[in-house]
Every structure is written in C-alpha cells, then in structure tokens.
Amino acid sequence: MADERAQYGPSLIRMWRVWRTAKEMMHDRGYMVVDDDMQMSLEEFARRYAREDGEPDRSRLNFSCQPSEDMLRRYTAVPTKKESDPQPQIGTMWVEFNSDENVGLKQLRDYMGHLLNGNFYSGIMVTVKPMTGMAIRLLRGSGSMSEGPRGGVEVFVEQDLLVNITKHELVPKHVLLSEEEKAQLLSRYRLKQTQLPRIQSTDPVAKYLGLRRGAVVKIIRKSETAGRYASYRWVI
C-alpha cells in the first residue's frame, strides 16, 4: 500500500479518503450507495478523478443519492386522523465538493439555487476551508427560507471527513429511531421526549448521521456483564 501511494500526490490521497468517507456517511444515514464506491482503491480513484497534473478534480466528485425504503420509513410520521397518509420528510440528497479556498454568500446561494433547480430535498457542501461567518448565518436559516431546499443544507470541511469517526472502537453504534419506534419507546416508559437524556445535533456522530432536532437515537454500547446495552438520547 505504501508503494502504491508513493506515486500519488498528497492532495489526491486526501481527497480519496474524504470522498470515500462521504460515501460511507451517506450509506450509514440510510441512502443507497454502491459498495464499489465505498471500497474504491486509490488507483481507481486516480484514474477516474485526477486531472492531468495529478491533482483531484473536485467538480467530478459530486454525486446524488436516494433514500432507501428503510430510511423513508424512519423519516415518516405516524399516521393520525388529521394526517392519514404522511409523506417522508426526506428525499434525494446532492453532495458537492467545492474547490474554492473561500466559500461565502455567493457560493452558498449558487449552491442553494442548484438544489432548487434540481429538485433536491437537501444538500451537503464539502468545503476546503470553513465558510465565512455571513454564509454560516444564511445557512442556519436555509431550511425555512424560500431560497433554500426543504431539507436544508449541511456543510462539512474536508478535514472533518478524512476519517470515518464511527469506525473508531470507542464510538458506540448510533441508530435513529423511526417516529413509530420513538412513540412506542415513550409510551412504554411513560415519558415525554424532553425527559430523555440529550445529545446535541452538533455532536460529531450526530452531525455525521445527519440527526435532526427532535429525533431520538438509540446508542448501543458494549458491556462486560450484559454483552450489550442500549440507551436513548433526544437530539436538541
């Protein structure tokens, strides 16, 4: 492996790791992702996405993905008398790798325009460096703005995706509960969701999994006595 990587530049190797982690992240969230993409070798990545000068061509790394049937189920509210056929609060995701050194309002507005024109439900922008403060303020309100997609926009800096944090041995497994599973959990223990322990939506694992405020996540940990045990957190 070391000999294989020696022929490629550090920028290309870095983007190979970032791109594969992005694919794994979409798969872990519940989107349909081809296994070959998550397991793509550096050699194959270079053949497909390197420019003639050996640098990665970020414009060719962009991709879209569709939610799986299980993901659609998890993001569909429990039917009620008022809403007998609720629609999934999830849809097609567009992941874009921005090549600009500085990402501000212009780049973010252009990106939102692309999402709306392409009828994407939500989007993820992967940037070289953190975006400007003004762009971050616009981003925080994008989910409720007419110029933004229904599912909002997430931003990851490339540095955040160099490794898949969920593969670390100290990170327990996180499983998003469906609305039905959430209702059953609260009914079983006669709890309100506000009585559950909390996890910030900005927590690294919560951000990786795209957990939304109000969701409940099941966290499965290893135990020397019980083998495994589960706890639950309310996302705030």
Side-chain angles (χ1 to χ4, degrees):
M1 178 62 74
D3 292 340
E4 176 188 342
R5 294 188 181 185
Q7 60 182 304
Y8 302 109
S11 296
L12 187 69
I13 296 173
R14 176 187 175 89
M15 283 310 304
W16 168 62
R17 294 171 61 187
V18 170
W19 185 81
R20 289 211 319 181
T21 300
K23 288 283 186 174
E24 291 171 354
M25 181 170 69
M26 292 299 97
H27 174 267
D28 292 344
R29 290 186 180 197
Y31 291 94
M32 293 184 287
V33 179
V34 178
D35 287 343
D36 288 348
D37 285 348
M38 294 184 288
Q39 300 165 5
M40 185 178 293
S41 67
L42 175 57
E43 180 182 9
E44 178 65 14
F45 181 82
R47 188 181 69 80
R48 292 190 184 186
Y49 303 116
R51 303 189 313 228
E52 290 186 2
D53 62 1
E55 292 295 303
D57 185 348
R58 288 175 174 80
S59 66
R60 290 156 58 190
L61 299 179
N62 307 332
F63 64 89
S64 64
C65 44
Q66 298 278 352
S68 64
E69 289 297 322
D70 180 64
M71 190 180 192
L72 291 172
R73 178 184 66 83
R74 291 180 185 276
Y75 282 89
T76 301
V78 179
T80 62
K81 290 182 179 180
K82 185 176 180 181
E83 184 62 57
S84 59
D85 185 27
Q87 296 302 303
Q89 299 300 302
I90 201 73
T92 306
M93 169 77 79
W94 176 256
V95 181
E96 183 166 303
F97 295 80
N98 189 285
S99 60
D100 295 340
E101 283 291 315
N102 296 301
V103 176
L105 287 175
K106 180 184 183 303
Q107 290 87 345
L108 185 56
R109 289 187 187 278
D110 289 345
Y111 179 64
M112 288 181 181
H114 173 75
L115 295 177
L116 290 174
N117 293 334
N119 199 31
F120 293 103
Y121 187 88
S122 56
I124 288 178
M125 178 186 283
V126 182
T127 61
V128 178
K129 297 179 180 178
M131 61 170 50
T132 65
M134 292 186 66
I136 291 174
R137 285 193 288 274
L138 173 63
L139 177 66
R140 287 172 179 165
S142 64
S144 59
M145 294 173 57
S146 59
E147 64 181 298
R150 286 173 294 166
V153 174
E154 301 171 61
V155 174
F156 285 83
V157 181
E158 289 177 4
Q159 181 72 28
D160 298 335
L161 298 175
L162 282 174
V163 296
N164 183 340
I165 58 173
T166 64
K167 291 184 176 180
H168 194 285
E169 61 179 5
L170 297 180
V171 177
K173 184 175 180 61
H174 290 57
V175 180
L176 172 67
L177 297 189
S178 68
E179 289 299 312
E180 182 177 1
E181 291 168 337
K182 173 182 169 181
Q184 291 173 351
L185 172 73
L186 298 176
S187 175
R188 183 189 314 143
Y189 294 105
R190 298 180 181 178
L191 293 171
K192 296 180 180 179
Q193 63 182 17
T194 54
Q195 294 176 294
L196 291 171
R198 303 178 180 190
I199 181 174
Q200 297 278 349
S201 60
T202 53
D203 175 90
V205 176
K207 183 178 180 182
Y208 175 89
L209 294 175
L211 301 181
R212 301 173 182 174
R213 289 182 174 87
V216 173
V217 61
K218 179 180 181 180
I219 302 177
I220 305 171
R221 291 183 170 86
K222 295 179 181 179
S223 168
E224 294 183 1
T225 56
R228 295 194 310 172
Y229 72 95
S231 59
Y232 299 88
R233 296 287 186 273
W234 177 46
V235 184
I236 60 171

